[in-house]
Amino acid sequence: MACCYQVSLGGGIVAVAASSFPVNSKLKPFPALKAELPKPMASDLSPDRSIFHDASSSNPRRDLVFIVNPRGANGRTGKDWKKLLPYLRSRLDKNCNICESLTSGPYHAIDITREAIREGADAVVAVGGDGTLHEVVNGFFWAGKPVAIHNREATRSTALGLIPLGTGSDFARTLGWKNDPHEAIDRIAKGLRSPVDVGVITGESEEESHYFINVADIHLSAKAGYFASRYKRFGNLCYVIGALQAFMGHKNQDLRIKVNEGEWETCSLVTALCIGNAKYFGGGMKITPNADPSSGNFEVVILQDFKWYDFILKLHRLYNGTHLSVKNVSSRSVFSIEVEDISGSGSIYVQSDGEHLGFLPRKFGILPSAIEMIC
């Protein structure tokens, strides 16, 4: 499926032909950006500075790439995005070049983000839910390192932006943002930046890294997320359906954990283990209520020996973030944690930001201030 890019010319957005990226393949040139985007200029990287240069700059127009999943939320994301374009033009056309890219399938946003950064985009904006944001965040990295801009003289990094339009907007909740795309566009127009932390996940080989900005989780909650992904057409109800399906045949498991490169310890009868860079997951559940994506640490919350009726009786506490005082719930602040299944069954689910990543063992580490975010 061909990918569509649109570039701002004067007072409007004009379609420009562009070839598509093959999913999960060697990256191809980014023709629309190559044709339109000027080389970035050196600028101050300090927080709370605009992504746009002032009018005295030799090139005041900045370059923003909007990555849209048109099929998100059962196609609602694509329809809502089209409705937003007039407002987006009215707020941004005077200051920047607007480049739009519609994803054609899973992982496509990762490839687009990497090439946009290499070509010198000032910001890459995820348009959609937490899944689209997750892919864009992964696109900021390549082979275990941040993606490098082709212009080595540039000192200003590409920022991350977000317009929440999908099924879940859990990361936006942590930042205190309303699920209002017009307010998101206003934030992008102001262009203020702040650094945010990113989590990195490695397996046994540690050769392949995966990144997350919100919450990673293990066992029951991860299994529920895996099943929930099949029912996205039902909106936030998908999380309830996924949880009910995950409970079928569920057994609490003994896990081994190593915190901050210390000694191994055993956690018995683990129901779920959640590693929060941010506070919310599962469509508004405040699972790691003390997590802060600018703190340099995760909050790890472990639920042990929960029965199905515990979730029914304590569900309201999980959603409002008051569950840390509940029996068999523990919390700690860490910068790294390794988790293993003592039984070695290879059947303990792992996910991050709602994306299924496979099974234990896994290691989770924090990358402080890894990305600058428009906020």
Side-chain angles (χ1 to χ4, degrees), residues 290-320:
N290 297 318
D292 179 350
S294 61
S295 68
N297 286 292
F298 297 127
E299 181 182 22
V300 173
V301 171
I302 306 175
L303 281 59
Q304 293 173 267
D305 199 21
F306 266 50
K307 308 296 191 299
W308 65 269
Y309 52 81
D310 288 314
F311 282 95
I312 294 175
L313 295 173
K314 299 162 185 173
L315 187 63
H316 67 288
R317 301 196 67 167
L318 291 168
Y319 270 94
N320 62 30

Side-chain angles (χ1 to χ4, degrees), residues 34 144 169:
K34 280 183 176 291
S169 300

Side-chain angles (χ1 to χ4, degrees), residues 39-47 49-51 53 62 117 120-122 147-159 193 372:
K39 293 293 183 182
M41 300 181 65
S43 181
D44 188 356
L45 266 176
S46 60
R49 292 294 299 271
S50 173
I51 60 173
H53 285 260
R62 308 311 298 155
I117 293 171
D122 288 271
V147 173
I149 190 172
H150 282 158
N151 182 358
R152 300 191 179 211
E153 296 180 1
T155 59
R156 192 169 182 79
S157 63
T158 299
R193 295 181 173 202
E372 288 194 318

Side-chain angles (χ1 to χ4, degrees), residues 112-126:
I112 298 169
T113 300
R114 286 173 179 159
E115 197 63 18
I117 293 171
R118 287 167 177 158
E119 293 299 326
D122 288 271
V124 177
V125 181

